[in-house]
């Protein structure tokens, strides 16, 4: 699934949905190719509901979680490519200091997916994540490229563009599966071995944190009980 092009920085802070980041990167690259922006860098954040809610409130004044938020780095008209002068997107600084440096690229911006929200929506509407998430990513990329749906006419233009992109996407994905004899699965029941090891380390860290918090709570409990008892004694004295 190798691909030449500008980097895609994926940040995954949620643990509700298993995500094969290698396949997700491949599908994002495919969408960028269809849109003609393979050489534009992109940031994608797979976030929790609370993280999305915080961003939604900060940037849109809406205090609730949602499925997707888009943060374009450039303001362009629909159908226009962003300028190729270099910039730094808001959330794509997610490569660690130890990561090797990459050549500079122009940037599209960032997409934030509320994965728990998306999972619940798919379950409620009997949709497959494998089918719904590419639709959301296409929607987000169209926002990064100047499309909007503030008016009925704008919505119609954006919807037509999304439909066109998705038709090409599913055809290309089917051809890729036929060539490689391998299905493209983003949300597997089991993760690839290397990523699964990272997940186990993360879970171990979470467990240690929970145990530490429980220990802290157990240590504070007698102190609280003692303070409460002292207050009651004072009350009786008065």
């Amino acid at each position: 699934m190798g691909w030449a092009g500008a980097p895609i920085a994926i940040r995954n802070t949620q643990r509700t949905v298993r995500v094969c980041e290698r396949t997700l990167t491949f599908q994002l690259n495919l969408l960028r190719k269809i849109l003609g922006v393979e050489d534009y860098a992109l940031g994608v954040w797979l976030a929790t509901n609370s993280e999305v809610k915080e961003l939604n409130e900060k940037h849109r004044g809406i205090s609730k979680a949602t499925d997707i938020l888009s943060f374009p780095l450039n303001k362009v008209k629909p159908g226009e490519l962003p300028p190729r002068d270099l910039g730094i997107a808001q959330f794509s600084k997610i490569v660690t200091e130890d990561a090797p440096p990459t050549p500079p690229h122009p940037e599209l911006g960032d997409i934030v997916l509320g994965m728990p929200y998306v999972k619940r929506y798919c379950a409620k509407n009997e949709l497959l994540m494998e089918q719904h998430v590419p639709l959301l990513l296409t929607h987000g990329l169209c926002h990064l490229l100047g499309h909007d749906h503030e008016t009925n006419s704008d919505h119609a233009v954006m919807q037509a563009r999304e439909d066109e992109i998705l038709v090409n996407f599913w055809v290309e994905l089917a051809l890729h599966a036929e060539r490689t004899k391998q299905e493209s699965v983003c949300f597997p029941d089991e993760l690839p071995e290397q990523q699964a090891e990272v997940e186990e380390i993360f879970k171990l860290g979470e467990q240690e944190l929970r145990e530490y918090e429980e220990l802290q709570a157990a240590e504070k409990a007698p102190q609280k009980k003692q303070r409460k008892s002292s207050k009651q004694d004072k009350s009786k004295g008065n």
Side-chain angles (χ1 to χ4, degrees), residues 111-154:
I111 293 171
V112 183
L113 281 172
M115 297 306 291
Y117 187 101
V118 174
K119 182 179 180 180
R120 185 177 61 182
Y121 177 87
C122 287
K124 185 178 179 181
N125 293 278
E126 298 182 351
L127 299 170
L128 295 174
M129 293 277 291
E130 298 289 343
Q131 294 175 343
H132 189 59
V133 171
L135 185 151
L136 293 175
L137 293 172
T138 300
H139 185 78
L141 284 165
C142 281
H143 273 307
L144 298 186
L145 291 168
H147 287 277
D148 217 323
H149 39 75
E150 295 297 322
T151 66
N152 289 337
S153 59
D154 288 342

Side-chain angles (χ1 to χ4, degrees), residues 56-153:
N56 207 12
E57 184 170 14
K58 179 179 178 181
H59 295 278
R60 300 174 68 219
I62 302 174
S63 183
K64 64 177 184 179
T66 187
D67 49 5
I68 185 166
L69 295 171
S70 301
F71 298 92
L73 185 64
N74 307 281
K75 218 171 182 180
V76 294
K77 294 178 181 178
E80 288 184 358
L81 291 181
R84 292 183 177 274
D85 54 326
L86 304 178
I88 299 176
Q90 299 174 66
F91 301 112
S92 54
K93 292 191 230 176
I94 49 187
V95 179
T96 64
E97 292 179 0
D98 297 328
T102 55
H105 292 274
E107 297 185 27
L108 290 175
D110 301 277
I111 293 171
V112 183
L113 281 172
M115 297 306 291
Y117 187 101
V118 174
K119 182 179 180 180
R120 185 177 61 182
Y121 177 87
C122 287
K124 185 178 179 181
N125 293 278
E126 298 182 351
L127 299 170
L128 295 174
M129 293 277 291
E130 298 289 343
Q131 294 175 343
H132 189 59
V133 171
L135 185 151
L136 293 175
L137 293 172
T138 300
H139 185 78
L141 284 165
C142 281
H143 273 307
L144 298 186
L145 291 168
H147 287 277
D148 217 323
H149 39 75
E150 295 297 322
T151 66
N152 289 337
S153 59

